[in-house]
Amino acid sequence: MKEINLTTKISVYLLDECTEAEKKLIERAKQATKNAYARYSNFKVGAALLLENGEIITGNNQENAAYPSGLCAERTAVFFANANYPDRKIVALAVAACSNGKFTKEVITPCGACRQVLLEVEARYKTPMKILMYSEEGIYVVDSIKDLLPLSFGDAMLTPRVSPDTISH
Ligand code: THU
């Protein structure tokens, strides 16, 4: 029997320890919570994406009476960016959440479905995306979505490993 141990490095920063660019991105994520449509959960999430040209795109969660029809903040922001600026790399993402009118004390981390979408974005632009996960008490930072999604399923899995003409039917 063999064992595989996976480890993840997460840097934990206080807001004061962040760069000015990071502070700005976090601030935009916090502001974006204000326009969330979260009438069912009352959990308002904001996401801010930094594009390679310095532009910031924001999104927030959009809920629906048919619950699964709603969408998380991260995917709202990513799909807007991809739909409108398909040629611009996304280099960083900040996410913040507000519950009962207060920013959370625990870090907000992207859900599983968002992690899968973020993985596709990194593959599409061949660029790792720094992810800043905000809380009032500290900010978790990882350098790539791969840190949050080990053993992920990605495009490489769909590439045949054997040449098709070696397969007999
Ligand atoms: N939500 C997000 O927008 N992003 C996350 O990272 C986690 C969860 C939303 C989905 C739903 O509208 C609400 O938060 C409660 O789950």
Side-chain angles (χ1 to χ4, degrees), residues 41 43 45 61 63 71-74 95 108-111:
S41 70
F43 188 74
V45 185
N61 49 334
E63 297 186 349
L71 199 64
C72 292
E74 296 90 326
V95 54
I108 166 81
T109 59
C111 78

Side-chain angles (χ1 to χ4, degrees), residues 39-136:
R39 63 174 285 196
Y40 300 101
S41 70
N42 202 24
F43 188 74
K44 296 183 169 194
V45 185
L49 299 171
L50 179 65
L51 306 186
E52 60 179 338
N53 66 345
E55 193 173 340
I56 292 176
I57 300 292
T58 61
N60 35 50
N61 49 334
Q62 299 295 321
E63 297 186 349
N64 193 284
Y67 290 3
S69 301
L71 199 64
C72 292
E74 296 90 326
R75 277 177 287 163
T76 303
V78 163
F79 292 151
F80 180 90
N82 286 170
N84 290 285
Y85 307 102
D87 298 327
R88 291 204 191 132
K89 288 179 181 175
I90 301 172
V91 294
L93 158 71
V95 54
C98 219
S99 183
N100 298 317
K102 287 192 179 136
F103 288 105
T104 55
K105 285 196 172 152
E106 277 112 44
V107 286
I108 166 81
T109 59
C111 78
C114 286
R115 291 177 198 207
Q116 186 68 33
V117 166
L118 295 169
L119 186 77
E120 187 77 24
V121 170
E122 282 197 357
R124 176 178 183 174
Y125 295 111
K126 297 184 176 54
T127 304
M129 195 191 306
K130 184 183 257 200
I131 302 179
L132 302 122
M133 295 159 276
Y134 182 79
S135 84
E136 285 286 83

